[in-house]
């Protein structure tokens, strides 16, 4: 069965540095991949979507890459700020399959 | 303001007492879905709806019912709640499917005693 892996250990990073999160998957060939941010007690908030024919997507200080050979997506937050502290979820999907498969999330803590 | 609204936000109830969690969106979205989020398991889809009167099971539909009589509303019904349905529930919507940004509500924390 499909498996989506995000690091269960929190990423502690100094303010101003680049935070990099990994989303690995097996037994799955997603057509697109999404990243969400979730704060405690709140619902996930959409950040970026990248499709299988795209290598990289950017939005302000965020960058996502998608490597279908490595079966991996990397999520980068450049010039990280304490306000970036949250849990980040990756989600994978296929066209014609009405299910989004979510990873368990990876917490980021930005230290001032 | 564009939003997905869930009610109630918190509920403590007892086994077997039917309950409904409401979900409403004001963005004229066609696609709506329900998820539950449990520690160590992540978000799992319960039911989804492609449009009015069109619903289908997600990954964990047992013990739940839904209906989609109007485009904006997608209630989640627990006919006979059990303790294993204690969880954090999220409703989400998108313009027309999953290959688009999903807009989530702020969640409903259910405790079934």
């Amino acid at each position: 069965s499909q498996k989506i892996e995000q690091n269960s250990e929190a990423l502690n990073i100094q303010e101003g540095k680049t935070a990099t999160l990994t989303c690995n998957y097996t037994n799955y060939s997603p057509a697109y991949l999404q990243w969400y941010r979730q704060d405690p007690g709140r619902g996930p908030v959409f950040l970026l979507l990248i499709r299988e024919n795209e290598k990289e997507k950017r939005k302000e200080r965020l960058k996502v890459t998608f490597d279908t050979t490595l079966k991996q997506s990397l999520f980068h937050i450049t010039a990280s700020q304490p306000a970036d502290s949250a849990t980040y979820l990756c989600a994978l999907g296929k066209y014609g399959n009405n299910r989004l498969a979510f990873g368990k999330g990876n917490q980021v803590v930005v230290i001032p | 303001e564009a939003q997905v609204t869930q009610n109630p936000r918190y509920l403590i109830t007892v086994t077997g007492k039917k309950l409904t969690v409401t979900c409403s969106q004001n963005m004229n979205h066609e696609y709506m879905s329900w998820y539950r989020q449990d520690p160590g398991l992540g978000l799992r889809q319960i039911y989804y709806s492609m449009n009015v009167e069109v619903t289908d099971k997600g990954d964990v539909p047992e013990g739940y019912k839904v209906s989609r009589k109007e485009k904006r509303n997608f209630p989640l019904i627990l006919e006979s709640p059990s303790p294993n349905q204690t969880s954090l529930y999220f409703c989400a919507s998108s313009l027309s499917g999953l290959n688009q940004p999903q807009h989530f509500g702020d969640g409903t924390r259910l405790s079934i005693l």
Side-chain angles (χ1 to χ4, degrees), chain B residues 23-60:
Chain B
C23 173
S24 181
Q25 50 92 6
N26 62 359
M27 295 168 279
N28 201 35
H29 284 171
E30 291 184 352
Y31 184 93
M32 297 185 75
S33 58
W34 276 102
Y35 294 85
R36 62 179 288 174
Q37 188 173 39
D38 301 288
L41 292 177
L43 277 163
R44 293 179 294 166
Q45 191 183 53
I46 303 170
Y47 267 95
Y48 65 91
S49 170
M50 297 293 293
N51 213 325
V52 176
E53 302 291 1
V54 181
T55 63
D56 208 346
K57 296 176 181 178
D59 295 313
V60 287

Side-chain angles (χ1 to χ4, degrees), chain B:
Chain B
E1 183 192 346
Q3 58 187 2
V4 176
T5 304
Q6 296 179 226
N7 279 298
R9 292 291 315 278
Y10 305 92
L11 179 63
I12 302 174
T13 187
V14 294
T15 299
K17 186 176 181 183
K18 180 180 177 179
L19 66 92
T20 299
V21 184
T22 63
C23 173
S24 181
Q25 50 92 6
N26 62 359
M27 295 168 279
N28 201 35
H29 284 171
E30 291 184 352
Y31 184 93
M32 297 185 75
S33 58
W34 276 102
Y35 294 85
R36 62 179 288 174
Q37 188 173 39
D38 301 288
L41 292 177
L43 277 163
R44 293 179 294 166
Q45 191 183 53
I46 303 170
Y47 267 95
Y48 65 91
S49 170
M50 297 293 293
N51 213 325
V52 176
E53 302 291 1
V54 181
T55 63
D56 208 346
K57 296 176 181 178
D59 295 313
V60 287
E62 295 77 21
Y64 305 95
K65 281 176 58 176
V66 293
S67 69
R68 187 96 181 269
K69 293 183 169 45
E70 306 163 284
K71 199 170 189 178
R72 63 184 295 128
N73 296 323
F74 190 44
L76 179 70
I77 303 155
L78 285 72
E79 293 268 3
S80 183
S82 63
N84 64 9
Q85 293 177 297
T86 292
S87 187
L88 180 57
Y89 291 85
F90 289 103
C91 179
S93 74
S94 69
L95 198 56
S96 61
L98 286 170
N99 60 338
Q100 292 156 354
Q102 303 298 302
H103 298 257
F104 284 82
D106 271 339
T108 295
R109 187 166 290 281
L110 279 184
S111 293
I112 317 291
L113 304 177

Side-chain angles (χ1 to χ4, degrees), chain A:
Chain A
S1 62
Q2 70 193 37
K3 196 172 181 184
I4 301 165
E5 289 182 329
Q6 294 187 258
N7 198 336
S8 57
E9 282 189 30
L11 174 66
N12 295 307
I13 191 159
Q14 207 70 33
E15 181 175 5
K17 301 289 187 185
T18 296
T20 298
L21 305 180
T22 304
C23 177
N24 293 307
Y25 58 92
T26 54
N27 297 326
Y28 202 64
S29 297
Y32 53 87
L33 194 149
Q34 302 178 18
W35 283 89
Y36 290 81
R37 169 190 172 133
Q38 187 173 22
D39 293 287
R42 306 297 301 271
V45 174
F46 172 80
L47 297 174
L48 283 164
L49 183 152
I50 187 166
R51 303 185 195 279
E52 60 182 337
N53 60 346
E54 298 171 318
K55 294 290 185 204
E56 183 180 295
K57 263 288 185 58
R58 290 175 186 260
K59 179 183 174 184
E60 297 170 355
R61 294 184 295 109
L62 307 179
K63 184 177 89 171
V64 170
T65 63
F66 191 8
D67 189 326
T68 55
T69 302
L70 290 179
K71 293 186 179 293
Q72 179 182 83
S73 174
L74 298 179
F75 176 81
H76 307 271
I77 308 172
T78 57
S80 57
Q81 303 167 0
D84 295 326
S85 298
T87 296
Y88 293 85
L89 311 173
C90 66
L92 285 61
K94 285 185 177 185
Y95 296 114
N97 180 335
N98 290 303
R99 311 233 176 127
L100 257 187
F102 280 85
K104 295 174 187 176
N106 193 179
Q107 186 183 10
V108 171
V109 178
V110 181
I111 303 160

